[in-house]
Each structure stands twice: as structure tokens, then as C-alpha cells.
Amino acid sequence: MRERDGTDEDTGPNPIVDDAEAMIRRCVEAGDAEAATTRALERYGPELLGFLRALARDDDLAAEAFANTSEALWKSLPRFRWQASLRTWLYQIARNSLFHVRADPKRRADRNLPLSVIASVEQVQRSATAPYQRTHVKDGMRALRESLDPVDHEILILRLDRGMSWRDIARALAETAEPESRAVLDARAASLRKRFERTKARLRELAIEHGLVTTEDD
């Protein structure tokens, strides 16, 4: 349950993410929202779908939420102000999409997406793999994570599995897309980090109780 190194703060640009987002932004600025959406789904689609599957615990709900996320991306991307990373913004959209699908699971949206975007959505859904390997310990840890408070579960995924900085996690979990001041964002990031440490300690206690780790394990 160790954290990944080098992600405690916004210490510098990620060249892979920056290159991908620079290309997507160029498509947006050229007025090609279809190409921008397709590239964004190619880059971030698999991890977003994995995130939704982990939260929803229901592949059908996750698939519907992912399709809604893709539609929201296509419609909203031309208005995105690039004040945070596109990746962070997409996680916020994905969370909101899942919330709405859960609120009305029988309702399926009528979509009118470009064929290339539909193809990208379907490709991600076909190729996405289960987020955790099927071993006894990993299955057990996944079950323990899913037993936690939903927000604690989200924080663990974004921090441990996605390696996000605390500021990006604060942005992704924000209830509104409106930008916050640096002081407000940093305060929320610090609060989330403390919550994460408490959650990790609780998760370790549960893992020891269930025999998944021992007191000698790191």
C-alpha cells in the first residue's frame, strides 16, 4: 500500500501527458472537436473506464457512464479553458456522469455522436481490462477498498492507481467545474491528503484482520 514516488506535489510537467494534451489542444484550436475528442479518448479512455468500473462495481453502469462522459467531452471540449489538465477535468466529468446514471439507471441517453467518436468509445470498451489482477490477495484488497466510504475509495484510486498529485485530486473531486483560488485548492488538497493517510491506516488494519497482510509486511 505504498504511494508512488514523486507525486506528492505538482513538481513538474509529465512529458507524456503534456504532449498528448498539446496535440488535443491544437485540434480544439483548429476547430476540430471530433479529432480532439477521438484523441482524448484514445489517451485517457481506458483509465477512465477502469476508474468507473472500480467505482460502479457494475460493468453496465460503468459503460453507460463512460458513454455519457464521452458525449460530455465532445460537447464541452471546445469550451474547456485549460486552467487544469484535461485528464483531471475528465475525471470530474466521469464522476458526475456516474452519479447521474446511478440516479436513473434505466434511462439511456439518446446520443448523436460522430462516427469516429462512437468508434473510439467502442474500442475502449472492447479492449479495457479488469483493473486488478485475479489473485487472492488482490481480489481481497479490492473488496476491502470497495467496502470503504465511496470518497475514500476514489481517493485511493486517484492517488495509488493513477498517481495524481494532491492538487489534481482536489480538482477531480471538486463539486463544481469553476476554478478555485490556489489557497482554497491547496487547503482542500491538504485535507484530502490527511484523509488518505487515515484511510490507508484503516485499510491496513482491515487487511491484517482478514489475513491479507501481516504486521511484518511493509
Side-chain angles (χ1 to χ4, degrees):
M1 286 183 285
R2 291 178 178 174
E3 288 191 64
R4 298 182 181 183
D5 294 335
T7 54
D8 285 347
E9 303 295 341
D10 294 321
T11 54
N14 180 327
I16 297 175
V17 171
D18 282 1
D19 287 348
E21 297 206 355
M23 183 177 296
I24 294 165
R25 186 170 185 174
R26 286 195 294 272
C27 291
V28 173
E29 291 172 347
D32 194 345
E34 184 175 337
T37 302
T38 299
R39 291 183 182 277
L41 290 174
E42 289 171 352
R43 177 64 183 86
Y44 299 119
E47 66 177 83
L48 288 170
L49 181 56
F51 173 70
L52 289 168
R53 283 178 170 175
L55 295 186
R57 308 173 202 176
D58 181 308
D59 284 355
D60 290 338
L61 281 181
E64 183 68 9
F66 179 70
N68 289 353
T69 300
S70 303
E71 182 177 28
L73 168 64
W74 177 60
K75 291 180 176 178
S76 304
L77 190 50
R79 300 190 299 276
F80 182 53
R81 290 178 286 186
W82 302 94
Q83 294 176 321
S85 73
L86 178 65
R87 183 190 189 213
T88 300
W89 180 62
L90 282 171
Y91 273 93
Q92 190 176 32
I93 293 176
R95 291 180 73 244
N96 290 337
S97 295
L98 181 58
F99 173 82
H100 290 301
V101 170
R102 276 176 166 163
D104 189 4
K106 294 183 179 179
R107 178 181 178 274
R108 294 183 64 88
D110 294 326
R111 300 188 181 89
N112 185 25
L113 292 170
L115 291 178
S116 65
V117 175
I118 293 174
S120 294
V121 172
E122 292 175 346
Q123 174 61 29
V124 171
Q125 291 174 335
R126 282 195 302 269
S127 61
T129 56
Y132 303 100
Q133 295 178 356
R134 297 291 180 177
T135 66
H136 169 69
V137 172
K138 286 187 178 291
D139 278 358
M141 290 303 300
R142 178 178 62 180
L144 290 182
R145 281 194 186 193
E146 292 175 352
S147 73
L148 298 171
D149 176 272
V151 175
D152 291 335
H153 186 204
E154 290 181 71
I155 294 170
L156 287 174
I157 293 172
L158 296 178
R159 182 62 179 177
L160 295 179
D161 301 340
R162 300 298 186 257
M164 281 191 177
S165 72
W166 288 111
R167 292 193 190 105
D168 277 348
I169 293 173
R171 293 184 183 106
L173 299 184
E175 298 300 324
T176 174
E178 293 300 315
E180 297 175 313
S181 70
R182 184 63 172 265
V184 170
L185 188 65
D186 283 350
R188 284 205 307 111
S191 177
L192 289 169
R193 182 170 186 167
K194 290 179 181 177
R195 182 168 180 168
F196 168 78
E197 294 298 337
R198 293 193 298 270
T199 301
K200 271 207 313 181
R202 176 56 181 157
L203 187 61
R204 179 171 175 77
E205 290 174 0
L206 290 172
I208 292 173
E209 289 175 12
H210 286 77
L212 298 176
V213 300
T214 68
T215 54
E216 287 79 22
D217 292 332
D218 289 336

